[in-house]
Amino acid sequence: MDNTFKALVINESTTGFTKEIKEKNLSELTKNDLLIKVSYSSINFKDALSASGNKGVTRKFPHIPGIDAVGTVAESNSKKFPIGSKVLVTGFDLGMNTWGGFGEYISIPEKWAVHLPAGLTEKEAMSYGTAGLTAGLSVCQILQSSTVNSENGKIVVSGATGGVGSIAVSILAKIGFDVLAVSGKKENEYLINSLGAKEVINRNDFIEMYDSKPLAKPTFVAGIDTVGGAILSGMLKSTQYGGIVTCCGMTGSTEVNTSIFPFILRGVHLAGIDSVEASLSVRNLIWGKLSNEWKLSNLEDIITEIGLEELPDKLDEILTGKAKGRYVLKH
């Protein structure tokens, strides 16, 4: 086994942060239970923050981002994952302060890994990645509500062309829900024909529709919000009695401005979604669904496969809100 590997390395200097493709040595990785040769990774908003030098995500530099990875166990101190095992890793500290999937090797504790589901290829697993896991957790949370079914009304999804939003729209459409997609991009054809949304509304129009009202017409049986701020507030105001809104992102704002009326007059539930520290049992449940009854036939429409050389530009696209769908990194 070659002791060197390629990676996108983020360095800090007196003038800021740089992104460079460098050759690293395996000895530089923290010794752990599993050494994994990475086949694919994917790009998430948190990766873009880490690559920009955001100290709220990554404290120490030089650093290799990449909160998602799939690959083959090259060295193992684990009975659960012998050498040659195909494993999937998302979240925990990977890519945050532990060198991540933007390198050809990662070294992790065994408790971070799950076996690659039989129903998924490595590329398909990274087509989902953290975004797919988060979307799946959101859909699962909604389906647990006794008031939510496809006959009661439509579901609204924000950030619908992004990673989490595009997969959430596709899963909901696959299992029979009518979806209203909220997006700031002019991608109506993609949202309807590729992802399966029934309707599309511009982000600013959605905000304006609900901005001045403490409570609005009960339009949606549920909502999946990926951006926060005024859109989340609008979803809460317009959800039907006993409905639920999930919240998993903050690309729009970390704040939400709403009255208590949706909660005390309509019994609306607001559920936070966290995929970083989700238990292995929950992860296995969601990955099982993503590889079986929720498995999407349109994954190729959602993803763009890239190489390491393209990664810096794509990270900038993610950070500035110009990305569409998912970027999957092939090593």
Side-chain angles (χ1 to χ4, degrees):
M1 184 172 66
D2 192 349
N3 286 329
T4 61
F5 66 97
K6 286 184 178 180
L8 180 74
V9 180
I10 312 303
N11 273 298
E12 184 177 14
S13 70
T14 55
T15 57
F17 293 86
T18 60
K19 308 180 188 75
E20 295 180 87
I21 297 169
K22 290 189 173 183
E23 205 166 76
K24 306 297 286 182
N25 197 287
L26 291 178
S27 63
E28 297 179 76
L29 292 169
T30 302
K31 192 69 176 175
N32 233 311
D33 299 327
L34 301 174
L35 179 68
I36 299 165
K37 189 177 192 308
V38 179
S39 303
Y40 292 91
S41 184
S42 62
I43 312 180
N44 300 277
F45 186 67
K46 189 176 286 185
D47 298 318
L49 290 174
S50 175
S52 71
N54 187 301
K55 293 294 181 77
V57 177
T58 301
R59 295 186 300 273
K60 295 181 181 180
F61 297 87
H63 179 63
I64 300 172
I67 64 173
D68 294 343
V70 66
T72 306
V73 175
E75 294 179 3
S76 176
N77 291 319
S78 166
K79 293 180 180 179
K80 185 179 179 183
F81 300 103
I83 291 173
S85 301
K86 297 290 186 184
V87 295
L88 171 61
V89 189
T90 64
F92 296 107
D93 192 53
L94 185 71
M96 295 178 67
N97 294 291
T98 301
W99 285 5
F102 294 171
E104 293 175 318
Y105 282 89
I106 59 173
S107 179
I108 63 162
E110 70 167 64
K111 65 182 180 180
W112 291 3
V114 298
H115 288 284
L116 179 68
L120 292 178
T121 66
E122 291 176 296
K123 183 178 179 180
E124 286 172 337
M126 285 297 96
S127 299
Y128 289 122
T130 286
L133 179 61
T134 304
L137 288 166
S138 301
V139 172
C140 190
Q141 184 76 54
I142 283 172
L143 293 180
Q144 290 174 5
S145 173
S146 60
T147 64
V148 177
N149 63 67
S150 58
E151 296 177 358
N152 285 354
K154 55 191 172 184
I155 295 181
V156 57
V157 178
S158 67
T161 59
V164 177
S166 59
I167 295 173
V169 170
S170 297
I171 293 173
L172 290 167
K174 179 180 177 68
I175 61 178
F177 283 94
D178 288 345
V179 180
L180 172 68
V182 181
S183 177
K185 302 184 181 73
K186 296 179 179 179
E187 296 286 353
N188 290 24
E189 184 176 337
Y190 169 71
L191 286 162
I192 292 172
N193 296 336
S194 295
L195 303 187
K198 286 290 184 182
E199 302 173 68
V200 180
I201 185 171
N202 178 269
R203 175 180 59 207
N204 292 331
D205 292 340
F206 185 87
I207 292 171
E208 186 177 342
M209 190 180 301
Y210 299 111
D211 196 34
S212 61
K213 303 174 182 178
L215 203 59
K217 180 182 177 182
T219 304
F220 309 109
V221 68
I224 293 178
D225 175 59
T226 70
V227 299
I231 289 180
L232 175 56
S233 176
M235 284 188 185
L236 292 168
K237 295 172 184 178
S238 55
T239 297
Q240 296 175 14
Y241 189 90
I244 181 171
V245 176
T246 66
C247 173
C248 65
M250 57 178 187
T251 56
S253 173
T254 58
E255 304 294 329
V256 58
N257 180 23
T258 186
S259 72
I260 64 171
F261 292 151
F263 309 109
I264 65 171
L265 298 182
R266 291 190 183 151
V268 171
H269 296 264
L270 175 60
I273 302 296
D274 170 56
S275 62
V276 175
E277 298 291 339
S279 68
L280 290 179
S281 61
V282 170
R283 290 170 187 265
N284 284 320
L285 171 68
I286 300 302
W287 284 115
K289 290 182 178 296
L290 292 173
S291 61
N292 288 288
E293 65 262 39
W294 290 355
K295 187 173 182 180
L296 301 178
S297 59
N298 64 345
L299 280 176
E300 287 295 331
D301 296 329
I302 294 174
I303 69 158
T304 301
E305 184 178 306
I306 64 170
L308 204 55
E309 295 76 15
E310 301 167 85
L311 190 49
D313 288 341
K314 299 305 181 186
L315 284 163
D316 290 340
E317 284 185 20
I318 291 275
L319 198 61
T320 56
K322 296 177 181 176
K324 182 177 81 172
R326 297 275 290 154
Y327 292 123
V328 174
L329 170 66
K330 182 178 182 180
H331 282 294

